[in-house]
Amino acid sequence: MISERMEDMLVSDLDSLIKPANEVAVVGAHNTLDHALLLMTSNKYSVVPVIDEKSRVKGLISMPLIMEAIIGIEDVQFDQLGDITVEEVMNTDYPVVKMDYELEDVLRTLIHNAFISVIDEEGVLTGIITRQVILTGLNRIVHNFEQVYEVKDRNREHV
Amino acid sequence: MISERMEDMLVSDLDSLIKPANEVAVVGAHNTLDHALLLMTSNKYSVVPVIDEKSRVKGLISMPLIMEAIIGIEDVQFDQLGDITVEEVMNTDYPVVKMDYELEDVLRTLIHNAFISVIDEEGVLTGIITRQVILTGLNRIVHNFEQVYEVKDRNREHV
């Protein structure tokens, strides 16, 4: 359990953690890898969510995954980028939470993932939660928590 | 200022935050982009430190930066990957700290950077500090701080 004081200082309200879907770079599952690579380059992201035609999250695609797909035995086959679709290559084991998520789950998941996709009941991408916004909250806690609250060592009470 | 209690719980000692250089994927400044791309693909990193022949940090190279360098007006010129060196393309505005760093500076910098390079007096890469290790410490704080310490609202004291 995360204490209420910690949660409140980490984030004013849970919705504010979410970067809304209209500000998130995404690629379509049916797009080819050359399209994905150009989109990611122009947005300077190396990993983005993959969505289907109904904006439902289907996976994650990253530049290393794209490169891996075209590395042959002898050389890198860049000419194949237009022949392979994102859904053939994407990672389908991706972290996701619903809108009514627990902060605890998000914090644990972000240790090993750059971001978490937030979806609605139909699986449609609502937004993402990034490490950046959580680290902003951490800075608030380490600087302000002992200003706002009185903190004592428990064992000193018994001395 | 970060309180001693917060710092102690975030990290047992400052050295333990650092992932040592021999475990960090790096590319040489004089390497060509095709070499860098293969190395990053095999390590599944999309951004890594760039070092010179004396292991001094010179910049950061990322997959989006590599792609940007070969995107022409009409198409992507993959055949140029072997002609361009990493130092021509790398980002030279990268975060770095010395071994005697302040945790405060690291936490602030990691809001906007995936990792920070740690260097010695000669500029040689000692290791990196990642968001992952900091988020592990954050999980410890939000779960354990109020178990270990007695926390009271300051304003209640005056009621």
Side-chain angles (χ1 to χ4, degrees), chain A residues 3 5 41 44 46 67-68 78 104 107 111 132 139 146-147 149-150 152-154 157, chain B residues 3 5 41 44 46 67-68 78 104 107 111 132 139 143 146-147 149-150 152-154 157:
Chain A
S3 78
R5 294 187 185 96
T41 301
K44 294 186 199 302
S46 55
M67 287 302 300
E68 225 170 52
F78 292 107
E104 199 163 354
L107 294 187
I111 294 177
Q132 184 172 338
N139 273 269
E146 294 196 38
Q147 310 279 335
Y149 301 108
E150 189 191 351
K152 282 185 192 162
D153 293 356
R154 283 196 192 277
E157 294 195 311
Chain B
S3 79
R5 293 187 185 97
T41 301
K44 296 188 198 300
S46 54
M67 288 302 301
E68 223 171 52
F78 291 107
E104 199 164 354
L107 294 186
I111 294 177
Q132 184 172 337
N139 273 270
H143 284 104
E146 294 196 40
Q147 309 278 336
Y149 300 109
E150 189 190 352
K152 283 184 193 165
D153 293 357
R154 283 197 191 276
E157 294 194 309

Side-chain angles (χ1 to χ4, degrees), chain B residues 26-73:
Chain B
V26 295
V27 291
H30 301 310
N31 286 144
T32 50
L33 295 186
D34 52 357
H35 178 93
L37 209 47
L38 285 177
L39 180 132
M40 294 163 84
T41 301
S42 68
N43 287 286
K44 296 188 198 300
Y45 290 117
S46 54
V47 53
V48 297
V50 179
I51 57 171
D52 68 8
E53 63 287 347
K54 289 184 174 165
S55 295
R56 291 174 299 206
V57 183
K58 292 294 161 182
L60 292 179
I61 188 76
S62 70
M63 286 200 178
L65 275 176
I66 292 174
M67 288 302 301
E68 223 171 52
I70 57 167
I71 290 180
I73 296 165

